[in-house]
Amino acid sequence: MCVGVPSKVIKLEENRALVNVMGSKIYVGILFVPEVKINDYVLIHAGQAMTIINEEFARESIEEWRRIIDGQHGTLF
């Protein structure tokens, strides 16, 4: 199963971006989204930004991740 995590781009460098993943900051590759801009939301998988997503979808997805992390969906695994 592949799971993507929504993140906000806060800094761009040559081939990578610094993103905010629900409060944590990490660098990810931007090979698949060379057009990405600061403040865009991207879906991350395996250390790479896979696609640019719209802000509304990102916020909804982040909220679902928070519910999973907080155990509000019961046992998933």
Side-chain angles (χ1 to χ4, degrees):
M1 179 170 102
C2 298
V3 178
V5 180
S7 305
K8 186 174 185 177
V9 175
I10 56 177
K11 182 178 179 183
L12 288 170
E13 295 182 1
E14 188 172 328
N15 293 320
R16 66 183 189 165
L18 181 64
V19 296
N20 182 335
V21 184
M22 295 187 289
S24 296
K25 295 176 182 140
I26 62 169
Y27 278 98
V28 298
I30 56 172
L31 176 68
F32 301 115
V33 289
E35 71 278 19
V36 71
K37 300 179 299 264
I38 291 175
N39 293 322
D40 279 349
Y41 283 86
V42 293
L43 203 55
I44 296 173
H45 176 71
Q48 289 290 325
M50 303 304 289
T51 188
I52 298 170
I53 57 176
N54 73 48
E55 185 173 347
E56 181 180 348
F57 176 78
R59 291 185 185 280
E60 290 173 1
S61 183
I62 289 168
E63 186 61 32
E64 287 299 314
W65 274 101
R66 290 193 193 286
R67 288 186 184 128
I68 291 169
I69 291 168
D70 292 342
Q72 295 177 6
H73 283 295
T75 304
L76 294 176
F77 305 103

